[in-house]
Amino acid sequence: MEYLRNRVPTNGSVNLWWTSSVKKTALTSKKTTFQEPVNLTEAYVQIVYPVRKEFLTGHRLEGVPYPEGPFTNLHFPFENNRLDFSSFIHTPHHLSVSAKTWIEVEEDGVYPFELYTCGAMKLWIDGEQAAIFSPFTRNIAQKREMTFTLEAGLHEVVVYAEELAERDVFFYIELRYKGELPLVNSVEVAHDPEELTRGMELLKSLHFEKDFYEEGDIRLLYDATLIKKPVTLSVLPEGQALTLQNDGDSVHLWNTEAHGIEVNRVTFSLPVGPYELKRDLLVGIAEQSKTHLKWSPSIRERKIQALHAIKELGDLSITRALVLCETEGILNEEALAMVERSITTIEQKEDCSDFHLVPLFFLITRYRYLLSPALLSRIEKALLSYRYWMDEPGNDVMWFFSENHAFLFHIGQYLAGYLYPEETFQTSGRNGLKQYEIGKERLIQWFTTFFTYGFAEWNSATYLPIDFIGFFTLHALAPDTEIQAMAKRSLDFTFHLIAHNTYQGVMSSSFGRCYEDTLKFRSLSEISFLSLVAFGKGYRTAQTRSVALFALSSYEPPSFDNEVELAERQWMEIMLKQGVSGVNTYLFKTRHYQMGCVQQFRPFEHGHQQHLFNVALGKVQYFINHPGEPAFSGQNRPSYWAGNGTMPAIYQYRNIALLLFSIDEQELVHAIHSYAPLERMDAYRITNHHFYFACDGGYVSTYFSNPFSLTREGANTNREIISPGLVHAVVVRCSNVDEFSSFEAFVSDQEQQHYTFDREALSLSVTDSSWGLVRAVNSHFTVQGREIITDYPRDVAIQKGVFYP
């Protein structure tokens, strides 16, 4: 046996491991009720379900024996500091795994570590129990400081870890080294360690030419200097084989025409001796002929076009089945399969089954005549046995606690109760009439809160389509005119938000909740298709759950053209306080660019999935954040691109924004970065402290107080600007051809501005050729000495003006 070795620096992690397979065991518990408040903010909330309480009763790790294996999986860390088994499981499951590694020290001494986990872990060193750490805090890692007295030499470390999976589960362990004495992490391998290292480096070098392809060939690039002879790379899940040569640097993967409209998480698998090394990359594909169709100026005709587009290329979901019922006049085999999948999800009370539940009411009302007696009976049984709220006994882990989920559960209870008033609902024991009355009361309460505060998950391209499922269903099917009117008012309000925040048919603003794909590939989000049907400006997408209901509905949004259309040289600013917590959202728009933020939102606190700052011009979406984890395209919350580990203080006045970062030392990444896809820019330039780019007549300047660099290798090649350090000042200034005759003139102007940054006081000022002295310090924001008010009204405030008359 040989050893694959990795020196662990101070604050580095032990991340070479042999692991067992993850054991997954479905968990049942006593059916019971419970009560927790619905989360009326965008932040993550810790809810302890009864299933977890029962699981933890009397659950101890003391009796867990020393794991004997087999340890069959060799874990390669790449950027991830954690031994990570996070996943999404729709029903409760007990997860457990064992892992083995070795640490080598040069001298006798005391070696300090921090142990991190969300679930529980038990650790042995050289066969002797060394630690038990069992916080079992769902999705929130806890830390324990430990010291191990070690003699010089090699020491075996074995860990047993477990967690209860409740829908999204963060299941990982981390051993972070806090000492100064040299320490090496190693694993036994039955192959040449140098070849394994080259294989890892080869996979780390993989990247796409672009993040997003609209035409032509999709090519995968790599570092050929790491290849001694041709190697074969497998593409999963397709199983396609790619041959990488040492006399080239790229290989053809796919053609855009052969693909639908999709965001692909592609796994590349490389065999090295007896081992498989794997690496994930994300890529968006949307061939222009599929997204850039000719759409009618009439909304009624666009709805018909949308139905046919969804029939051809839409979500494999119950809403596409509804479209097939409408266009085909029968419940064909394809539609039946989609309906049955949704019914199974509802029967098993899976998390997110409420997304399937609400559209089911369209099927059993509007298309009831197409259903066989057996299918209708199965649907009715599923509805009568469903759990509509946590006051009804259950042992599932359905999520009731965000505004979109709560809304859909209330709709389900309301409509099911109305349709079956005399039937007994098995889970609650109530009759349908009582379910209807309770559901109606809860809906009125939900709408009352919504009309007072707006969306907690403001502007979210991910979650607004889920709310739309509910709005369209109530607009079409609610038996009470009062509820119908509330649904229409909500639809008008939400389409108004979309009209405000859309730039060239794409939602381009701050978001209360986001994911990597909804930031990088925004034209592929469902909001783009909703905008297309509503206003004739947007993109056809493969995400169609709410678009299908829109196309099937009689609803037509008001026209906001007079409000949002901008003439040459005209600008518009939009200010709105959203959510119970009072989030001050700001957006500044011109014909050439759009820049938006949340003003001073919980600065320097740990973030979740809030997207706080964004610039759009042409086809470029540009943003800056503090990575919440080191793994590229990881799926934690916050992740590398989505959200912030530590949130910045942001101050924006029209087309200039000042961002201040003071990153917690406990964060995993000690740097900030910007998403900067060069392939979509017309031009870019890097100087000592500035990154500039131009697109479609718009210009952007970014000043970084700390040194920065363009990423030139690996997954983020040519699409990332990264700046190391814990404390940063950033100034972003937008402009266009109306203000400066050329990109060069804009760059020259910005190079002459003066920046002053006090790191201790977190005070930042800049002289601007248009605005004069702009200064931010201690929540005060001034322009030419005038205090800028960043606390906004609950009703949207809009101001328009003209630049450079």
Side-chain angles (χ1 to χ4, degrees):
M1 280 286 183
E2 296 190 77
Y3 284 91
L4 181 64
R5 287 183 166 84
N6 179 25
R7 182 170 291 276
V8 183
T10 301
N11 289 317
S13 298
V14 173
N15 53 19
L16 292 173
W17 296 88
W18 278 101
T19 77
S20 67
S21 297
V22 178
K23 184 179 179 181
K24 300 179 181 179
T25 306
L27 196 69
T28 58
S29 60
K30 179 184 176 182
K31 292 185 178 181
T32 186
T33 63
F34 69 114
Q35 189 62 45
E36 293 285 349
V38 172
N39 178 26
L40 295 179
T41 75
E42 80 304 325
Y44 175 75
V45 291
Q46 180 76 250
I47 303 294
V48 181
Y49 276 72
V51 64
R52 181 170 287 261
K53 289 182 179 178
E54 183 173 326
F55 170 73
L56 293 178
T57 300
H59 188 83
R60 299 288 184 269
L61 266 64
E62 281 78 1
V64 173
Y66 176 83
E68 298 292 347
F71 300 100
T72 54
N73 304 313
L74 186 56
H75 169 78
F76 295 93
F78 297 107
E79 303 84 26
N80 202 345
N81 59 301
R82 298 161 172 161
L83 181 58
D84 201 335
F85 305 97
S86 300
S87 62
F88 198 109
I89 304 177
H90 290 275
T91 54
H93 278 72
H94 177 235
L95 308 182
S96 62
V97 68
S98 300
K100 179 189 285 189
T101 191
W102 288 261
I103 53 177
E104 186 174 358
V105 297
E106 297 177 2
E107 57 185 276
D108 298 354
V110 176
Y111 291 82
F113 284 85
E114 291 176 344
L115 310 185
Y116 291 84
T117 190
C118 300
M121 60 188 293
K122 187 174 183 178
L123 183 145
W124 294 260
I125 296 179
D126 297 328
E128 297 294 326
Q129 180 180 313
I132 292 179
F133 182 37
S134 52
F136 277 116
T137 47
R138 179 181 179 269
N139 290 358
I140 298 178
Q142 301 296 318
K143 175 182 71 175
R144 170 169 290 180
E145 296 178 354
M146 300 288 296
T147 58
F148 304 121
T149 302
L150 303 175
E151 295 179 353
L154 192 65
H155 300 272
E156 179 195 75
V157 179
V158 174
V159 173
Y160 166 83
E162 65 176 356
E163 175 60 304
L164 174 63
E166 305 169 65
R167 59 195 300 267
D168 57 327
V169 54
F170 294 172
F171 179 34
Y172 55 80
I173 62 172
E174 181 188 356
L175 276 64
R176 193 179 303 177
Y177 181 49
K178 303 299 290 185
E180 302 291 338
L181 296 175
L183 185 141
V184 172
N185 177 205
S186 59
V187 288
E188 286 184 342
V189 292
H191 195 73
D192 178 11
E194 289 187 11
E195 188 175 350
L196 283 167
T197 300
R198 281 198 307 274
M200 285 192 288
E201 292 300 317
L202 177 61
L203 285 185
K204 285 173 67 175
S205 76
L206 298 181
H207 61 281
F208 291 104
E209 285 180 303
K210 307 175 183 178
D211 265 350
F212 185 50
Y213 289 82
E214 294 182 289
E215 60 183 355
D217 291 340
I218 299 170
R219 300 193 68 80
L220 182 70
L221 280 68
Y222 58 91
D223 182 354
T225 65
L226 298 167
I227 301 175
K228 290 189 173 182
K229 59 182 180 179
V231 299
T232 300
L233 200 65
S234 295
V235 183
L236 305 176
E238 292 88 347
Q240 178 183 355
L242 302 176
T243 300
L244 308 187
Q245 305 282 353
N246 55 10
D247 59 353
D249 61 2
S250 68
V251 62
H252 176 266
L253 183 58
W254 299 311
N255 188 280
T256 53
E257 294 178 0
H259 279 257
I261 304 171
E262 56 200 18
V263 177
N264 281 1
R265 183 172 290 274
V266 189
T267 300
F268 296 98
S269 177
L270 176 68
V272 181
Y275 307 116
E276 289 285 328
L277 312 184
K278 293 181 179 180
R279 173 74 156 168
D280 286 357
L281 294 177
L282 212 63
V283 63
I285 305 171
E287 210 274 329
Q288 285 189 355
S289 66
K290 297 182 178 73
T291 58
H292 295 63
L293 305 179
K294 186 175 181 180
W295 290 80
S296 169
S298 161
I299 186 172
R300 295 183 183 181
E301 291 179 6
R302 289 198 299 274
K303 285 186 176 184
I304 295 171
Q305 289 177 288
L307 290 175
H308 289 286
I310 294 167
K311 175 183 171 183
E312 176 194 1
L313 189 69
D315 276 321
L316 297 177
S317 69
I318 187 171
T319 53
R320 187 175 177 192
L322 298 175
V323 169
L324 290 169
C325 288
E326 179 71 18
T327 57
E328 300 294 309
I330 60 171
L331 185 68
N332 62 23
E333 216 170 287
E334 181 185 11
L336 179 60
M338 297 176 199
V339 170
E340 288 181 333
R341 278 197 296 272
S342 287
I343 297 172
T344 299
T345 297
I346 294 165
E347 289 171 334
Q348 295 179 351
K349 299 178 180 63
E350 294 183 7
D351 181 55
C352 297
S353 58
D354 48 313
F355 296 176
H356 300 258
L357 172 74
V358 171
L360 194 63
F361 292 104
F362 270 87
L363 187 70
I364 63 173
T365 54
R366 186 173 292 186
Y367 304 106
R368 190 183 187 91
Y369 66 96
L370 298 177
L371 308 183
S372 69
L375 181 61
L376 184 58
S377 176
R378 183 183 172 191
I379 292 171
E380 291 175 348
K381 184 179 178 181
L383 293 175
L384 292 173
S385 62
Y386 193 65
R387 185 189 193 192
Y388 291 95
W389 200 240
M390 61 192 121
D391 63 345
E392 302 178 9
N395 57 5
D396 54 80
V397 288
M398 295 189 293
W399 189 251
F400 300 99
F401 304 102
S402 59
E403 64 184 357
N404 58 79
H405 282 286
F407 183 44
L408 296 188
F409 279 112
H410 299 339
I411 294 170
Q413 184 176 30
Y414 170 69
L415 292 179
Y418 176 77
L419 290 174
Y420 305 102
E422 303 301 325
E423 299 286 345
T424 298
F425 282 67
Q426 296 167 16
T427 303
S428 68
R430 306 181 187 113
N431 65 22
L433 178 60
K434 188 63 176 177
Q435 290 285 77
Y436 156 76
E437 291 171 346
I438 294 172
K440 181 179 178 180
E441 181 182 357
R442 287 172 174 168
L443 277 175
I444 292 172
Q445 290 175 347
W446 190 95
F447 278 120
T448 299
T449 300
F450 177 65
F451 294 144
T452 303
Y453 299 108
F455 289 106
E457 299 165 334
W458 71 89
N459 304 343
S460 175
T462 305
Y463 289 107
L464 288 186
I466 304 302
D467 296 295
F468 270 123
I469 290 174
F471 296 151
F472 286 125
T473 299
L474 290 177
H475 183 267
L477 304 180
D480 299 283
T481 56
E482 176 187 12
I483 300 295
Q484 286 182 347
M486 289 178 170
K488 182 183 184 305
R489 180 180 170 187
S490 300
L491 286 166
D492 291 349
F493 172 81
T494 309
F495 275 110
H496 200 190
L497 272 182
I498 291 174
H500 284 165
N501 290 283
T502 294
Y503 173 78
Q504 297 186 4
V506 178
M507 195 80 164
S508 303
S509 61
S510 64
F511 297 154
R513 290 281 295 277
C514 67
Y515 296 87
E516 181 181 358
D517 58 340
T518 49
L519 296 179
K520 288 183 174 180
F521 314 113
R522 288 187 220 194
S523 63
L524 304 188
S525 72
E526 192 168 354
I527 292 290
S528 296
F529 204 167
L530 285 162
S531 177
L532 179 61
V533 177
F535 308 122
K537 299 173 184 177
Y539 295 89
R540 175 194 183 187
T541 71
Q543 311 224 355
T544 58
R545 286 181 293 187
S546 62
V547 179
L549 300 185
F550 186 15
L552 291 169
S553 77
S554 63
Y555 174 78
E556 296 183 7
S559 173
F560 304 110
D561 286 352
N562 291 338
E563 182 177 318
V564 300
E565 291 295 328
L566 294 171
E568 186 176 355
R569 299 179 183 270
Q570 194 173 29
W571 55 262
M572 177 169 67
E573 60 180 349
I574 303 166
M575 295 155 284
L576 178 62
K577 187 188 297 292
Q578 300 193 52
V580 171
S581 56
V583 179
N584 290 299
T585 60
Y586 179 83
L587 195 66
F588 185 79
K589 306 179 71 160
T590 74
R591 296 176 68 186
H592 291 98
Y593 60 85
Q594 177 169 303
M595 181 162 69
C597 77
V598 181
Q599 303 273 21
Q600 302 166 59
F601 177 77
R602 299 179 192 163
F604 318 129
E605 294 182 17
H606 186 71
H608 188 228
Q609 290 179 269
Q610 306 95 341
H611 181 61
L612 301 180
F613 176 77
N614 196 82
V615 177
L617 67 163
K619 291 186 176 181
V620 176
Q621 296 287 342
Y622 176 76
F623 57 89
I624 300 167
N625 73 304
H626 168 238
E629 63 173 339
F632 305 154
S633 293
Q635 300 182 72
N636 281 304
R637 308 179 186 188
S639 69
Y640 192 73
W641 290 110
N644 286 270
T646 297
M647 294 188 286
I650 305 175
Y651 307 80
Q652 182 180 339
Y653 177 72
R654 297 187 180 169
N655 59 3
I656 188 168
L658 281 60
L659 290 76
L660 293 166
F661 290 85
S662 181
I663 298 167
D664 188 333
E665 287 188 4
Q666 294 299 312
E667 296 284 3
L668 296 171
V669 180
H670 290 187
I672 63 170
H673 67 168
S674 66
Y675 180 63
L678 300 188
E679 73 270 7
R680 292 185 155 238
M681 300 173 183
D682 296 336
Y684 75 92
R685 186 167 302 170
I686 294 174
T687 63
N688 189 29
H689 280 279
H690 281 86
F691 171 66
Y692 303 99
F693 69 92
C695 187
D696 288 0
Y699 313 136
V700 175
S701 162
T702 306
Y703 164 84
F704 293 93
S705 62
N706 294 5
F708 68 92
S709 60
L710 174 64
T711 299
R712 290 293 195 182
E713 60 182 19
N716 299 315
T717 297
N718 292 335
R719 56 196 67 125
E720 178 186 45
I721 300 290
I722 189 161
S723 180
L726 292 174
V727 180
H728 300 259
V730 177
V731 179
V732 181
R733 171 71 148 85
C734 294
S735 188
N736 57 23
V737 293
D738 295 332
E739 183 178 12
F740 295 96
S741 59
S742 67
F743 180 50
E744 291 72 20
F746 172 66
V747 170
S748 176
D749 173 84
Q750 291 297 294
E751 287 289 309
Q752 297 173 39
Q753 307 313 315
H754 180 68
Y755 303 86
T756 303
F757 177 41
D758 185 331
R759 291 175 176 272
E760 296 298 323
L762 286 178
S763 170
L764 173 62
S765 63
V766 56
T767 59
D768 183 82
S769 55
S770 290
W771 306 119
L773 181 64
V774 182
R775 189 167 187 264
V777 60
N778 295 329
S779 299
H780 291 287
F781 185 34
T782 59
V783 175
Q784 282 289 68
R786 177 172 61 92
E787 188 85 16
I788 303 301
I789 303 302
T790 56
D791 186 21
Y792 301 141
R794 285 286 178 185
D795 295 324
V796 64
I798 297 174
Q799 182 174 341
K800 285 187 176 182
V802 177
F803 265 150
Y804 329 118

